[in-house]
Every structure is written in C-alpha cells, then in structure tokens.
Amino acid sequence: MRRLLPSAGTTDPDLDTPRGLAAAYAYPAPREKDRPYLRANMVASLDGAAHAEGRSAPLSSPADMRVFGTLRALADAVLVGAETVRREGYRPAKARKDFAEQRAAAGQLPAPVIAVVSRSLDLDLDAPLFREPVTPATATIVLTCTAAPRERRAAAEAAGARVVLAGDTAVDPVRAVAEMAALGHTRLLHEGGPRLLAQFAAAGVLDELCLTVAPLLVGGDAPRVMNGLPMPAGPTAYVPLSVLEEGGQLFTRYVRG
C-alpha cells in the first residue's frame, strides 16, 4: 500500500502491518470528556454506487477488508442500520489478537459492540448477531425509539440485546450518539446503510468519512453512500486528511472542516 497524501507517492511498508495501518487511522485525541467521535466507513464505485448486485462486497478487495478490519478494531462500537444487517448478514465483531494489547491499554472491550439502529425492530433475533456475542459485555445494542412495538422490544431483550431508546417516533442521530457515549462508547464507527448515514450526516454528528473508491463502473440505480436527507444548510465542507492506494483502490479520509 502506498501513501498519496500527505506524502505523495511514497510506499509505506508499515501500512501492510496491523500496527502501521492502525496508526494511519487512529482516532483523534478526545475533544471533550464523554464527547463521542463518529466516523463512517463506506465503499463506492467510480460512478458513485454504494452497492453492486445489492451488496457492498463486489466493490471490496483484500486491501479494503484490511482497512475495514482496522477501523473496527479501533472502535468502541459499530453503528449500522437494520436493513444493512439483514442484507450483509452481520455477525458479532471479532476480538483480534493483533489489537488485544492496544484495546486493553485504551480501556476498550476485547471487540467492538455492534449497535443496530431500528425503528420497527424487524430483526432476526435468532441470528448469531444476537445469540453469539464475543463476551456478555459485547452483547448487541439495539438503538430504537419509544414508538417501537413493545412486544418487539421485549423480544430483543429476551434474545440478549441491550435495548436503548434514542428518540420518540424515530431514532434521533444526536440522541443516539449521546446514548452511546453515556454507555462509555465514544469512538464510534458508522457502517451504513446509505439512508441511515444520510440521516446522521444531516444531523451534524458525522465527524469523519473513510471512503474507499473502487476502480469499477456499476451503472444502474444503486444508491450513493448517502442517499436520503440533504444537508440542511447546503453542501458541507470536509477536509482531506489522507489518501492511500493499493490495487487501484483509493482509501480516503475526510474530516469535517
């Protein structure tokens, strides 16, 4: 993997190691006590598609999966929409030996917690995501709202999930990240889908976007990485922080300006 920004064109062998890649994607120092930092990780084709054949996997690569795994290994919790959970077959995040010492030193759990955002709670509660946590402390969180069916809330809790109310008639992104911070999860990673990510961006809680650009054309009507609510004040500026490259894919980081 080579670094195009900030040191243009240089090959960095450290980027091929877990420690080196983790350093390249390190979370910034906390800005305020208990204030969460939310980054998103998405992949898109050259023509802007977030999916190919209904899934993100055809746009990925071994290098993209290394970045994906590193971002997860650095996070306290992973936020994801219920639709993406169903489409991608989500499972509990794994504890990675390469990051065990670093996570312990940072006071993190052995693996990040998965937090599913769902208003309706239309979830397969028998799936491994709910039945097979790495440890009891990493049981899946369900972020929902008071309007969610009470019987589904009770079923989720019976399946071992931790149900957290983060809104009245729908999940409020601002409240969702605040509730996660209240649980001690301040290094947050958003993995989509596109509609949910658009909601979090429009609410002003997205600090960073890690976008993999795949050298592929998809065509069709696949959604963009954000596909929904517009930014309320118009286009919002983000600043490029780094660009890495391998196999024609670009791994970019943008932070809110």
Side-chain angles (χ1 to χ4, degrees), residues 33-225:
K33 185 179 180 181
D34 297 332
R35 184 181 174 190
Y37 185 94
L38 179 67
R39 65 166 36 141
N41 182 33
M42 300 292 281
V43 61
S45 65
L46 285 177
D47 53 332
H51 300 156
E53 303 168 0
R55 300 182 65 224
S56 61
L59 302 177
S60 188
S61 69
D64 181 52
M65 293 309 298
R66 293 203 309 274
V67 172
F68 174 90
T70 298
L71 293 177
R72 278 196 164 195
L74 295 173
D76 297 332
V78 176
L79 277 63
V80 63
E83 181 180 348
T84 299
V85 165
R86 290 189 290 267
R87 185 178 62 245
E88 304 283 354
Y90 263 60
R91 302 178 69 90
K94 296 179 180 178
R96 293 185 54 185
K97 183 178 180 181
D98 290 336
F99 291 91
E101 184 176 337
Q102 178 177 339
R103 290 186 68 86
Q108 294 175 294
L109 297 170
V113 175
I114 303 294
V116 182
V117 180
S118 176
R119 180 189 181 281
S120 67
L121 299 183
D122 180 16
L123 303 166
D124 179 4
L125 298 174
D126 291 322
L129 180 60
F130 299 98
R131 300 293 185 177
E132 301 176 9
V134 174
T135 69
T138 58
T140 295
I141 294 171
V142 176
L143 291 166
T144 190
C145 57
T146 54
R150 287 184 178 275
E151 66 277 10
R152 295 299 295 169
R153 285 162 53 182
E157 290 174 340
R162 180 168 190 168
V163 177
V164 176
L165 299 180
D168 297 325
T169 60
V171 175
D172 175 6
V174 175
R175 185 169 166 186
V177 296
E179 293 289 348
M180 294 300 293
L183 294 174
H185 305 307
T186 58
R187 287 158 286 205
L188 303 175
L189 174 64
H190 198 302
E191 291 183 352
R195 284 201 300 268
L196 185 67
L197 183 54
Q199 293 171 20
F200 275 69
V205 294
L206 182 64
D207 297 295
E208 177 181 331
L209 175 62
C210 297
L211 177 64
T212 297
V213 180
L216 301 168
L217 294 177
V218 173
D221 58 358
R224 298 175 298 161
V225 294

Side-chain angles (χ1 to χ4, degrees), residues 221-249:
D221 58 358
R224 298 175 298 161
V225 294
M226 294 184 196
N227 198 53
L229 291 175
M231 302 300 288
T236 301
Y238 278 67
V239 178
L241 189 62
S242 69
V243 180
L244 309 178
E245 184 275 336
E246 182 172 309
Q249 284 192 322

Side-chain angles (χ1 to χ4, degrees), residues 1-3 10-25 66 70 99 244 246:
M1 186 174 285
R2 60 189 182 126
R3 190 186 303 273
T10 60
T11 299
D12 189 340
D14 284 346
L15 294 173
D16 295 324
T17 68
R19 186 181 297 272
L21 201 55
Y25 282 96
R66 293 203 309 274
T70 298
F99 291 91
L244 309 178
E246 182 172 309

